[in-house]
Amino acid sequence: MPSNVEIKAKISDPTQFAETAAKLSKSEGTIIRQHDTFFNCNQGRLKLRDFMNETGQLIFYERPDTDGPKLSRYSISPTNNPPSLRTVLSEALGVKGEVKKERRLFLIGQTRVHLDTVEGLGHYMELEVVMRPEQTVEEGQQVAEDLMEKLDVSKESLVTGAYMDLILKGIKET
């Protein structure tokens, strides 16, 4: 199962963050609109990501709900009919909730840097260090921590869990 080391943090100044990420990635980033539907499941998380263009991905992942860099293992299956798959999974498993966001993706080395505007939550960033087969978790964590420093992301701004967890807890935009 592929893996990455992830962190998620609240962002107070998305414009400044985007400027810094653009300099580091030498690009303006790519805008991606996503509508994620989370389904009830016994372990990990299962979500259907609809890219709002007749394509999507069914994603299962497991990761600890801690702040700071953490290992995430995942499996992804593409789909060309997200609405139909959403109906089947909703009937079979039940819907836990939905997350709508606009994501600006920057690629910096082996890391996917996301600047997310999440409906009802506000501005966040995510780092996903895509692990190479020969890399240790500690090496991936070091890559994430180094990039956090370059992006001026403080440890105090780190959050645990998924956006879905924050929505279910009733955390609102500040």
Side-chain angles (χ1 to χ4, degrees):
M1 188 180 292
S3 64
N4 58 32
V5 170
E6 298 184 12
I7 66 147
K8 184 185 316 272
K10 182 82 172 136
I11 294 296
S12 57
D13 188 345
T15 302
Q16 179 60 46
F17 182 88
E19 288 173 6
T20 304
K23 285 178 192 167
L24 291 171
S25 70
K26 298 179 178 62
S27 80
E28 292 303 310
T30 303
I31 302 292
I32 306 167
R33 286 174 184 77
Q34 299 175 343
H35 180 174
D36 294 345
T37 303
F38 284 77
F39 301 96
N40 297 313
C41 64
N42 292 333
Q43 66 181 36
R45 293 181 174 94
L46 180 66
K47 68 182 172 185
L48 176 63
R49 173 161 288 159
D50 188 338
F51 292 112
M52 314 306 290
N53 63 3
E54 298 182 17
T55 68
Q57 299 172 325
L58 184 62
I59 305 168
F60 172 76
Y61 65 101
E62 295 178 297
R63 73 164 182 248
D65 288 333
T66 58
D67 61 9
K70 57 198 154 277
L71 185 67
S72 175
R73 298 183 189 279
Y74 58 91
S75 298
I76 299 175
S77 179
T79 180
N80 289 324
N81 193 341
S84 176
L85 187 54
R86 180 181 299 107
T87 299
V88 171
L89 290 168
S90 297
E91 291 173 1
L93 301 173
V95 173
K96 188 174 191 176
E98 298 182 35
V99 176
K100 296 177 183 177
K101 65 181 173 278
E102 181 176 279
R103 169 167 280 177
R104 190 165 166 191
L105 168 65
F106 301 92
L107 299 175
I108 302 174
Q110 73 187 88
T111 306
R112 297 169 55 90
V113 177
H114 306 144
L115 173 57
D116 292 338
T117 302
V118 185
E119 190 175 291
L121 290 180
H123 302 287
Y124 289 80
M125 61 77 61
E126 283 185 351
L127 299 181
E128 293 178 351
V129 180
V130 180
M131 299 296 290
R132 297 185 191 113
E134 73 279 1
Q135 278 184 307
T136 66
V137 174
E138 294 76 22
E139 289 171 325
Q141 290 172 329
Q142 189 60 56
V143 170
E145 288 172 3
D146 291 346
L147 201 46
M148 277 176 57
E149 190 174 317
K150 290 177 183 171
L151 290 164
D152 197 28
V153 175
S154 70
K155 291 188 189 275
E156 295 75 36
S157 66
L158 295 176
V159 296
T160 62
Y163 295 134
M164 185 75 262
D165 301 325
L166 298 176
I167 289 171
L168 291 173
K169 287 178 187 173
I171 294 174
K172 303 291 183 203
E173 286 187 58
T174 57

